[in-house]
Amino acid sequence: MSDHHAHHHPPIPVDDPARQSGEIIRSRIGDRTPRLAMILGSGLGGFAERLENPVQIPYADLPGFPIPTVSGHGGTLYCGTIAGQDVIALQGRQHAYEGHGFAGLKTMIRTQKRLGVDTLLVTCAAGSLNPDAGPGSVMAIRDHINLSGQNPLVGPNDDAWGDRFVPLAGAWDPDTRTALIEAASDVGEPITTGVYAWWLGPAFETPAEIQLLARLGANAVGMSSVPDCIIARHCGLRVVGLAAITNLAEGMSPVPISHDQTLAGAKLAGDRLQRIVTRFLERFDG
Ligand code: HPA
């Protein structure tokens, strides 16, 4: 959103956990200048290990950061270099279905803003509603559907971070998405584009619910990413998203859906995703 429509924001309070976490991270990363932060979804955390000269900070050292409880999710912030860029990789995120609300996710994302990051790359595992885009494929998120009945910004507005009402047209930044798609083409990796539906979980969808989501225009379904996007747009971060398709959605395949299948499917899609993102970063200029 253009800044001239933004309202005046008061300063970030000194006791804001994102401000405190930002100071701790800054003290450990010195003069590195990450412009992009990526949230690594289920089974995708391995990307963090490819960063060169990494500084690793456990979330436990960062006030207000969530401690992830789901297997396949670490709980470590990395700052390192890839393709010549300083980036932050967040290995592990909190999901709404864990029942701890959204404070941890807010702190994690707002801390990035505080550090001078301008682009948030959200990654996630997802089920596909498109039979032609099966396990191992990668989908660039063009838009989302929120049927969860939840929104991370419910409650008093944090005026220091953003405005009360957040427009979401173009929330998944078209230009950055185009750059990702071009990067995929550069490295010869197929990529689709589509609408991601946020399902609260932790139970997977029923086959009837998948038919409903398909009729509503969803191309993939998962239990994350949408709150991340909303929080990031509220504080003015540019957002781009990649869903690693780990399975066909419930009712579309004889293979039973499980978290183990998610982690297994994330390997192939995750390798593709890493190649695409690495090339994207070679071309990235904030
Ligand atoms: N549904 C919801 N979340 C998911 C799925 C799915 O099929 N696959 C990976 N995460």
Side-chain angles (χ1 to χ4, degrees):
M1 288 303 108
S2 55
D3 277 347
H4 59 272
H5 289 304
H7 303 131
H8 175 71
H9 296 138
I12 314 288
V14 285
D15 62 351
D16 189 299
R19 177 168 173 166
Q20 295 174 343
S21 286
E23 278 159 18
I24 293 169
I25 296 165
R26 178 52 69 199
S27 75
R28 301 208 200 163
I29 68 173
D31 58 5
R32 295 172 191 229
T33 53
R35 306 287 302 282
L36 178 137
M38 53 182 111
I39 298 181
L40 302 173
S42 299
L44 304 170
F47 196 31
E49 269 112 55
R50 299 193 19 174
L51 298 183
E52 296 149 39
N53 303 315
V55 173
Q56 295 182 35
I57 308 176
Y59 288 2
D61 291 0
L62 299 171
F65 267 55
I67 305 299
T69 58
V70 187
S71 73
H73 284 267
T76 309
L77 178 148
Y78 291 68
C79 182
T81 310
I82 192 156
Q85 301 273 350
D86 289 331
V87 300
I88 290 193
L90 296 153
Q91 198 186 55
R93 65 145 76 78
Q94 198 164 46
H95 297 80
Y97 59 71
E98 293 172 64
H100 303 298
F102 297 99
L105 190 62
K106 278 185 202 161
T107 299
M108 193 169 100
I109 291 171
R110 290 172 178 173
T111 298
Q112 308 313 309
K113 175 79 179 178
R114 186 78 186 158
L115 284 169
V117 161
D118 48 40
T119 302
L120 183 68
L121 168 60
V122 178
T123 72
C124 60
S128 177
L129 284 81
N130 175 358
D132 300 330
S137 53
V138 175
M139 185 187 91
I141 300 175
R142 172 165 48 80
D143 203 345
H144 73 234
I145 297 175
N146 178 6
L147 291 173
S148 70
Q150 303 210 6
N151 190 295
L153 301 178
V154 168
N157 185 51
D158 292 313
D159 295 325
W161 291 103
D163 298 338
R164 169 82 288 187
F165 298 105
V166 182
L168 291 177
W172 299 91
D173 186 64
D175 293 340
T176 316
R177 183 169 63 255
T178 299
L180 266 175
I181 292 167
E182 287 171 2
S185 151
D186 280 358
V187 293
E189 291 292 356
I191 189 167
T192 64
T193 299
V195 174
Y196 174 95
W198 174 26
W199 193 258
L200 179 61
F204 286 109
E205 309 73 29
T206 65
E209 287 161 348
I210 290 301
Q211 287 180 37
L212 172 80
L213 293 175
R215 286 177 171 228
L216 294 177
N219 303 110
V221 59
M223 301 177 191
S224 65
S225 299
V226 168
D228 316 36
C229 172
I230 293 170
I231 294 164
R233 288 307 304 147
H234 177 253
C235 69
L237 289 168
R238 197 182 290 135
V239 180
V240 67
L242 288 178
I245 301 299
T246 56
N247 57 282
L248 288 175
E250 191 64 278
M252 296 176 62
S253 145
V255 184
I257 288 181
S258 66
H259 188 57
D260 288 346
Q261 187 198 19
T262 295
L263 296 181
K267 283 207 169 55
L268 177 57
D271 286 347
R272 288 192 157 143
L273 191 146
Q274 290 185 17
R275 298 240 283 280
I276 295 168
V277 171
T278 302
R279 179 68 186 138
F280 167 78
L281 290 171
E282 283 168 4
R283 304 161 48 118
F284 182 78
D285 61 4

